[in-house]
Amino acid sequence: MKFGYQKFILGAHDPRKPLVPRPYIPVYLRSDGTRTRSPYFALLDSGADRVLFPADLAIEVGIEDIETGNLEPTIGIGNQRVDVYYHPLILQVLGDTRALSTDVGFSTGITLPILGRSFFRHFKAVIFAEAKEEVELKP
Amino acid sequence: MTLDIKNIDLGKLATELRRYEEQWVAISAENKILANGKTYGETVDKVKNPDQVILFKVPQSRYSIAPTGA
């Protein structure tokens, strides 16, 4: 599966400046009985150990209180600590039928959906082709 | 019918997306912003055919994104 990078403005808008490309993957989040109604983009982050999602995604798969999960404090690059609660859930890449069992961490302190290396483990290879601005997930 | 992700080009929406920083947006198969909201659920609730859109949480454009840790 190949996905082209998505591009964004960074900093003050200047039409002469190139947009910043980022590797986003379209996924669904599932539990036993429910699935997010729409797919959503999550950022592939090879520097993150785990899968981290904003807290508001939890209720979409029937988790009313994220704090019922396993607490694992998390530290980011700026040394900021965030309390993350992990739940055993399933990820599904749009266009792929495989159910990828993954512990997903939720926190009110996480603002963007992040796919860390616990997601990468489901693939033989994850190839960032920077020149082509494309990422390939090899099942 | 399912969404063809190849039709989604956030770069073409880059200027428009700045208005929705830190919000969720729902983007149609025709690469149009159909709805926005503070949460995923609030945003999907505004969409007629959820299977035909993709949601995106718009990051702040004035910052780079760094590895998260965890």
Side-chain angles (χ1 to χ4, degrees):
Chain A
M1 292 176 286
K2 293 181 180 179
F3 300 95
Y5 286 6
Q6 296 289 348
K7 296 181 182 177
F8 303 89
I9 293 169
L10 179 60
H13 182 43
D14 180 346
R16 294 165 300 177
K17 285 187 180 173
L19 300 174
V20 175
R22 293 176 180 148
Y24 277 91
I25 301 292
V27 295
Y28 287 101
L29 181 61
R30 289 171 41 188
S31 63
D32 284 339
T34 58
R35 189 187 79 173
T36 48
R37 289 169 281 172
S38 302
Y40 56 94
F41 277 120
L43 183 66
L44 280 180
D45 184 349
S46 63
D49 295 332
R50 310 261 248 150
V51 173
L52 301 170
F53 288 162
D56 59 294
L57 279 166
I59 198 156
E60 296 297 313
V61 289
I63 299 168
E64 300 281 343
D65 177 7
I66 62 170
E67 295 189 13
T68 57
N70 294 321
L71 171 62
E72 190 176 292
T74 294
I75 199 160
I77 192 170
N79 233 14
Q80 71 278 27
R81 182 191 144 135
V82 176
D83 284 343
V84 179
Y85 298 88
Y86 285 88
H87 295 257
L89 292 168
I90 295 164
L91 289 165
Q92 182 182 348
V93 177
L94 180 67
D96 189 10
T97 56
R98 292 194 308 150
L100 311 174
S101 296
T102 308
D103 283 342
V104 174
F106 296 101
S107 174
T108 54
I110 300 289
T111 58
L112 300 175
I114 298 287
L115 299 171
R117 288 193 325 283
S118 62
F119 172 79
F120 289 38
R121 278 203 300 266
H122 292 287
F123 301 92
K124 285 181 185 160
V126 177
I127 300 166
F128 294 89
E130 292 298 308
K132 292 166 76 176
E133 296 184 344
E134 180 182 274
V135 64
E136 181 176 4
L137 306 177
K138 286 193 167 182
Chain B
M1 197 173 102
T2 55
L3 180 78
D4 184 354
I5 199 67
K6 291 187 177 69
N7 294 335
I8 304 299
D9 184 346
L10 298 182
K12 288 183 178 171
L13 300 173
T15 303
E16 198 177 347
L17 284 172
R18 296 189 94 184
R19 284 193 272 140
Y20 302 106
E21 288 185 9
E22 298 189 271
Q23 293 184 54
W24 287 93
V25 292
I27 299 165
S28 70
E30 294 78 30
N31 207 44
K32 308 276 187 204
I33 297 173
L34 295 185
N36 65 287
K38 288 181 181 172
T39 66
Y40 176 99
E42 178 189 329
T43 308
V44 178
D45 284 346
K46 296 176 182 175
V47 174
K48 194 174 175 184
N49 296 310
D51 263 347
Q52 302 299 312
V53 301
I54 185 161
L55 266 70
F56 175 61
K57 183 82 181 283
V58 183
Q60 294 186 51
S61 62
R62 59 187 177 280
Y63 301 119
S64 316
I65 296 176
T68 311

